[in-house]
Amino acid sequence: MAVRRQTFRLYPNKGQEAKLLQARRDHAYLYNACIAHRKYEWKANRKSVSYLEQQNCLPAYKKEWVEFAYLHSQALQATVKRVDLAYNAFFQGLRKPPKFKSIRKFSGWTYPATSGWKANTSLKHGSVNLNDLGIKIKMRGQAKQWGKPTTLTIVYKPGLKQWFASFTVEIPEVIAKFGSQSELAYNSIVAFDLGCETAITTYNGTDVEQISHPRFTQKTEAKIKKASKELRRKQAPNRNKKIKASRRWKKANKRVAKLLSLAGTQRRDWQHKVTSEIASRYDIGVTEQLNTRGMTKKAKKGSKRKKQKAGLNKSILSVGFGTLNKMLTYKIEVKGGLMIMLPTKDVKPSQRCPKCGAVHSCWAELSNRHHLCPSCGFDVPRDAGSTMVMYNVVTKAQPGLGTSLDSLGCLSSTSRTSKRKNTGSMKQLGQVRRQKSNRTAEPGETPSACAAG
Ligand SMILES: [Zn+2]
């Protein structure tokens, strides 16, 4: 079973919205109460409260605070779980300690199982029933695929005053067309590389295609910059000084929120278009295992290239390397194809000459946009060269590397999907966080002086 997230926009009427806002307020209250509980126990008794203890408090809590009794018990548990996750991240040194959340910043709540709600849709539009609030809300939107919905998260965007229903949906897995890697059909393989100068470079054995970055992100960014400058000049609210927001501030705030949301929509739209187009043409995708987290790390303290690194990070994040990879993977998988992730460290696609296989470590430097092989004279632009290497590795035509894919330890999408069965569950979310903290910093491929060049 594959799990997808599908989001619809909700259109509550006035009475329904009042109930939604009340539920959101109550969940925010519970969230803050859980934090207060933990803080108090730690301060007073040096005792750290566990999730289970807090969860077991819930029935008594509901008896004491009858205004919470109407909310779905599993949804309340999920909110308690959010506090637990925030604390776990803090204990692992990934985040700052959890803070009390203002209602203004509280996004919503989750129904972590199939009870308490019902989605009435087959693919397009429809409605959703929330049993604990006793309402049926109209929703609009279209899911790419629909199956058995398993969890529901209600999301509120305060700046835009919009409501969303975000479902996780179980979709029956498509059986891969290609049984094992030794039987790869070579006719429609594409190797792709994500880069900062050209967003995506693809190579299918004969042609190199380059897809450039969308211009609109920069345009929208300029608008956002201007709008937020105007926002700063208006009277912002300050609750400590008891200053209310001016009407102009509220207007400007809404404008910024709208622009930010526009930037997100534009980016997602572009990502979907580009990845759908590639996935429609090829059955097998090849790329390298990306480490976006390491790539977008902050520059070291005192580094002269701090600004440069910040700019690079921005362009990596604005295209969304991770999302592009994920989208391509699932879109190829959906049609029964295969995605192969090559281990960067062993293959070294950006340092290897696609023609003779010689590795030139000086090619690793990002400023080296064009590669001229000192060993065989092969001349190729950087991104195109690395896609050629990846393509050659999969088709077993790359000189200087072993012919067995398995010996390289590459990940294929089929081996990966078998591992992630419960994507999106609270348990898994916790595991992901744990993995992140355990991962030790890998030494990057340091550019060294090139002996041959
Ligand atoms: Zn060469």
Side-chain angles (χ1 to χ4, degrees):
M1 280 288 182
V3 180
R4 301 265 176 278
R5 185 166 282 285
Q6 307 286 10
T7 306
F8 293 82
R9 170 131 181 235
L10 293 175
Y11 289 85
N13 61 31
K14 273 204 173 149
Q16 292 172 338
E17 182 159 34
K19 283 186 177 176
L20 285 172
L21 284 170
Q22 184 60 45
R24 170 170 165 260
R25 218 170 293 141
D26 289 339
H27 275 283
Y29 192 88
L30 174 67
Y31 183 94
N32 288 332
C34 288
I35 291 187
H37 179 207
R38 291 204 183 214
K39 281 195 173 173
Y40 174 79
E41 283 293 332
W42 179 247
K43 246 189 189 164
N45 310 325
R46 291 280 134 189
K47 181 175 169 286
S48 95
V49 183
S50 74
Y51 165 71
L52 267 179
E53 277 172 72
Q54 290 201 319
Q55 188 201 315
N56 294 338
C57 287
L58 274 176
Y61 186 86
K62 273 164 105 172
K63 255 184 202 159
E64 188 71 25
W65 301 83
V66 278
E67 51 266 56
F68 283 88
Y70 77 99
L71 289 169
H72 194 260
S73 57
Q74 285 175 340
L76 290 174
Q77 284 171 14
T79 298
V80 177
K81 190 72 200 173
R82 280 189 191 189
V83 177
D84 188 51
L85 287 175
Y87 266 97
N88 279 346
F90 164 54
F91 292 147
Q92 286 158 19
L94 296 172
R95 300 239 186 102
K96 285 179 184 170
K99 277 195 265 181
F100 294 118
K101 247 186 200 166
S102 145
I103 179 70
R104 277 158 237 269
K105 287 184 181 163
F106 199 77
S107 67
W109 66 96
T110 301
Y111 299 91
T114 49
S115 71
W117 57 278
K118 190 169 171 254
N120 314 304
T121 181
S122 50
L123 199 73
K124 201 174 173 182
H125 309 326
S127 63
V128 63
N129 295 25
L130 301 180
N131 298 350
D132 53 354
L133 308 185
I135 50 178
K136 181 178 179 179
I137 314 168
K138 265 194 246 168
M139 59 184 192
R140 288 182 67 80
Q142 187 168 5
K144 271 260 156 77
Q145 293 169 290
W146 193 251
K148 188 182 153 227
T150 49
T151 77
L152 165 63
T153 301
I154 302 289
V155 180
Y156 181 60
K157 293 196 172 160
L160 299 167
K161 301 197 171 160
Q162 289 174 352
W163 292 90
F164 297 89
S166 180
F167 301 93
T168 50
V169 182
E170 267 183 10
I171 290 158
E173 194 102 43
V174 186
I175 296 146
K177 269 186 202 166
F178 314 101
S180 69
Q181 284 169 13
S182 54
E183 300 164 20
L184 294 182
Y186 288 154
N187 46 14
S188 64
I189 302 179
V190 67
F192 63 92
D193 192 21
L194 308 174
C196 295
E197 256 170 52
T198 43
I200 306 177
T201 310
T202 62
Y203 179 68
N204 61 4
T206 46
D207 303 310
V208 174
E209 264 181 76
Q210 294 189 319
I211 300 164
S212 51
H213 284 285
R215 289 289 300 275
F216 53 74
T217 43
Q218 283 158 15
K219 267 190 196 164
T220 317
E221 207 161 88
K223 280 188 194 164
I224 292 171
K225 226 176 173 181
K226 203 178 153 213
S228 29
K229 193 172 173 187
E230 261 157 31
L231 176 66
R232 282 197 300 276
R233 289 176 175 170
K234 311 278 186 279
Q235 183 177 299
N238 188 328
R239 289 170 89 199
N240 295 337
K241 291 181 189 166
K242 293 198 174 160
I243 300 173
K244 273 191 184 171
S246 68
R247 204 186 291 167
R248 290 176 182 207
W249 184 88
K250 281 182 191 161
K251 253 186 173 176
N253 191 36
K254 191 161 188 192
R255 210 171 299 139
V256 173
K258 268 194 176 162
L259 280 170
L260 282 174
S261 140
L262 174 73
T265 316
Q266 283 177 330
R267 188 173 59 233
R268 257 189 314 278
D269 178 57
W270 179 81
Q271 286 170 338
H272 271 299
K273 274 181 187 154
V274 165
T275 51
S276 294
E277 204 274 328
I278 294 175
S280 71
R281 279 191 292 159
Y282 302 102
D283 290 337
I284 301 174
V286 188
T287 189
E288 53 185 317
Q289 287 161 23
L290 263 186
N291 176 10
T292 326
R293 198 161 169 268
M295 281 165 77
T296 54
K297 256 184 202 156
K298 276 185 188 166
K300 275 176 199 155
K301 250 192 182 173
S303 164
K304 277 178 194 168
R305 302 175 59 190
K306 205 171 172 183
K307 265 214 164 146
Q308 256 174 299
K309 179 71 178 138
L312 181 69
N313 284 351
K314 208 171 192 181
S315 64
I316 288 174
L317 292 171
S318 82
V319 197
F321 276 10
T323 322
L324 277 177
N325 248 339
K326 263 187 226 155
M327 280 186 180
L328 264 172
T329 307
Y330 87 72
K331 283 179 184 180
I332 286 185
E333 276 173 17
V334 156
K335 55 177 242 183
L338 191 69
M339 189 71 139
I340 299 170
M341 310 277 199
L342 297 173
T344 312
K345 266 200 214 152
D346 302 320
V347 179
K348 293 195 173 77
S350 53
Q351 297 176 44
R352 195 177 291 276
C353 168
K355 201 178 174 201
C356 69
V359 174
H360 309 286
S361 54
C362 64
W363 283 6
E365 203 146 349
L366 274 174
S367 57
N368 243 329
R369 301 313 309 170
H370 212 89
H371 291 166
L372 176 65
C373 179
S375 318
C376 70
F378 190 67
D379 188 14
V380 67
R382 176 198 165 90
D383 291 338
S386 60
T387 53
M388 283 178 187
V389 171
M390 290 192 276
Y391 182 88
N392 290 346
V393 167
V394 172
T395 53
K396 300 175 186 177
Q398 176 61 42
L401 263 182
T403 49
S404 169
L405 279 176
D406 296 329
S407 70
L408 281 171
C410 63
L411 291 168
S412 75
S413 50
T414 43
S415 67
R416 222 154 22 84
T417 41
S418 58
K419 265 189 235 160
R420 35 155 222 202
K421 268 184 185 152
N422 312 312
T423 318
S425 77
M426 291 293 188
K427 193 176 158 199
Q428 261 213 332
L429 209 62
Q431 277 168 351
V432 171
R433 298 258 160 84
R434 218 164 301 137
Q435 274 170 8
K436 270 189 182 169
S437 67
N438 289 345
R439 198 188 295 156
T440 45
E442 284 171 16
E445 287 166 24
T446 41
S448 56
C450 186

